[in-house]
Amino acid sequence: MELGNIEKILEKYFEASTTVAEERTLREYFAQDSVAPHLERYRPMFNYFSIAKEEKYTKQVPLKPRVNYYKWLSVAAAVVLTFGLYFGKEYQERKQAEYAYQETKKAFELLAENFGRGTEKVAYLKEFDQAKEKIYNNN
């Protein structure tokens, strides 16, 4: 193999633009005994790639059975939504009832206050009636 050709392929390799055939050429070049001295530093890298390519993992990988949680997630979402709508409506009705109670309470307090003023005036009328009776009875 020409040294100039190997250097061009090596440049392309580091730019990540080589083909599979060119990479195979590089592996074969660095696997032989006669490598140019200035390219000797790349030999361990390509030798490692060749060795690593042959390695295989031999232990058994425990696989867990895959459970489809999406259907349960959708069921749970539907249940939460239903409860939210039901109790949200109930909560809204409770708030409206509480507001109506507070407004009615204010109205009754105002009525009681005005009624209290009216009873004070009636007390004066009773005194007036008693005074009038005394005057008419004495004559």
Side-chain angles (χ1 to χ4, degrees):
M1 288 182 212
E2 290 183 17
L3 185 59
N5 190 22
I6 293 296
E7 289 174 347
K8 286 179 186 176
I9 296 174
L10 196 57
E11 261 183 59
K12 284 175 65 176
Y13 179 79
F14 288 121
E15 291 173 359
S17 60
T18 55
T19 64
V20 176
E22 290 171 333
E23 288 180 17
R24 189 178 314 114
T25 305
L26 285 174
R27 278 196 307 274
E28 289 171 0
Y29 175 75
F30 286 106
Q32 63 184 340
D33 292 332
S34 60
V35 176
H38 68 284
L39 298 177
E40 190 69 38
R41 63 182 177 205
Y42 300 118
R43 178 184 272 205
M45 180 176 68
F46 283 99
N47 286 338
Y48 171 75
F49 292 153
S50 297
I51 294 169
K53 186 177 179 181
E54 301 300 321
E55 288 181 1
K56 294 194 188 306
Y57 188 73
T58 57
K59 290 186 179 180
Q60 183 69 22
V61 178
L63 298 175
K64 294 180 184 176
R66 187 172 180 191
V67 180
N68 192 358
Y69 291 109
Y70 291 117
K71 62 181 171 184
W72 290 111
L73 184 63
S74 63
V75 168
V79 168
V80 168
L81 183 64
T82 303
F83 279 124
L85 290 174
Y86 177 74
F87 289 116
K89 186 177 179 182
E90 186 177 297
Y91 176 76
Q92 192 70 17
E93 289 173 355
R94 188 179 305 142
K95 280 293 190 186
Q96 287 175 348
E98 188 176 320
Y99 178 74
Y101 170 74
Q102 293 298 332
E103 291 299 314
T104 305
K105 187 176 174 183
K106 286 180 189 176
F108 280 143
E109 286 173 357
L110 184 62
L111 186 65
E113 183 181 319
N114 289 333
F115 186 72
R117 285 187 206 153
T119 54
E120 288 174 6
K121 303 295 183 195
V122 170
Y124 289 127
L125 282 175
K126 279 186 180 180
E127 287 179 25
F128 179 73
D129 280 343
Q130 287 174 357
K132 183 177 80 169
E133 289 292 324
K134 283 182 184 179
I135 291 173
Y136 286 132
N137 288 338
N138 284 338
N139 285 337

